Amino acid sequence: MNVFPWDEAAATGIGSHPGEDHAEAVRVVFGESPALPYLPELPARGVGADTIGRAASLLVELAVEVQPSGWRFADRPGRDAKRARDHLLRDLDGLEEAAQGYEGPFKIQVCGPWTLAGAVELRHGDRALADPGAVRDLVASYAEGLALHLAEVRKRVPGATEIVVQLDEPGLPGVLAGTVPTASGFGRLRAVEAPVAAERLRSVLPDGAFPVVHCCAPGVPLRVLREAGVKGVSLDASLLRRRDEDAIGESVEAGTAFLLGVVPGTDAPLPDVGEVARPAVELWRRLGFPSATLASQVVLTPACGLAGASPAYARAALAKCREAARVLREDPGE
């Protein structure tokens, strides 16, 4: 029995798409990633459609605005915060129309709390990450807003058998290593201890959803993610090193799903399906896991978001991942 939300041989996208036509992006997603479709994000639409602005629009009773340095807490929401909310509501309207008749798992993506805390600035100072109290308030507000967002998605996609919630945390390795720059750029913020990072991350994971963390940076902190209760990890397979494999093996044995990025996120030649599937097949073989579990525990994806790709490549990349995922089930090389 498959313990994951998706069927065997599934493929999906990371989240972002090129262009400004959200209706077209949704059509591409449902057409090319039918096993695990998702709500696409279109950052090319400008401020408010960016990852940080989209996440900040979910905050409850914490207002934000855009300053020349970026997003900042404010006394009242700025016009760009309203624009971000409007983008999201229009996207949900389009999703509701596209998802009519769909039944199966569905994925949404939002910025993770640590990456968000490392990006949003306090009203008169540094990044929120610099102030543990501000981080605590942000996390509590974000958890409430994310739960409301999830409830709204469930209403818009009534046929969703399970919602996969992907938290994008490219900044988490830097948060743990103490390499996040201060707002001035002249210093580095103090490292966050792993138990604190796990606790804050756990507190935003919504009930009744399958939580995944996406991190396309090197050094994905797999142990921290497991301790936080994350059930799936999305990462770029090209960044994996042999020294990472013990930690990956521990996560696989613990039942963690892996969404492996196996094609570039920007325009590049796409090899045949066997070559695309090879990183997953060889990783599984080196770790000594049975090939029978590969197609259920591994989902193939692009290496990162597709916002920097051409529309034609974005469609082709998703199609190639879908085709290569069948290799994991039908011909895993054994």
Side-chain angles (χ1 to χ4, degrees), residues 177-234:
T179 59
V180 178
T182 59
S184 68
F186 294 116
R188 296 289 181 268
L189 297 178
R190 181 179 300 177
V192 173
E193 295 181 355
V196 175
E199 179 186 354
R200 295 283 182 253
L201 187 57
R202 185 187 307 112
S203 68
V204 304
L205 300 181
D207 293 334
F210 188 92
V212 169
V213 166
H214 167 68
C215 183
C216 53
V220 179
L222 295 173
R223 186 182 300 274
V224 171
L225 299 183
R226 285 206 313 278
E227 291 174 355
V230 172
K231 295 182 180 179
V233 179
S234 169

Side-chain angles (χ1 to χ4, degrees), residues 236-261:
D236 180 350
S238 71
L239 297 179
L240 294 179
R241 300 294 179 261
R242 291 297 177 94
R243 63 177 178 269
D244 300 322
E245 292 186 0
D246 285 346
I248 292 172
E250 291 175 4
S251 293
V252 171
E253 288 182 337
T256 303
F258 278 86
L259 284 67
L260 287 183

Side-chain angles (χ1 to χ4, degrees), residues 61-130:
E61 296 183 356
L62 283 179
V64 292
E65 62 182 3
V66 173
Q67 294 291 330
S69 58
W71 291 91
R72 178 179 292 181
F73 289 119
D75 293 327
R76 62 185 63 83
R79 63 181 182 180
D80 291 311
K82 182 181 184 303
R83 184 178 300 162
R85 190 66 188 166
D86 289 344
H87 278 313
L88 184 56
L89 290 175
R90 282 195 298 270
D91 292 353
L92 290 171
D93 289 342
L95 170 64
E96 184 174 10
E97 182 176 348
Q100 288 183 12
Y102 172 75
E103 292 186 3
F106 186 76
K107 180 166 78 76
I108 60 174
Q109 309 81 220
V110 294
C111 184
W114 286 110
T115 298
L116 185 61
V120 178
E121 295 181 1
L122 302 171
R123 296 180 191 180
H124 305 292
D126 214 324
R127 305 178 193 275
L129 182 60

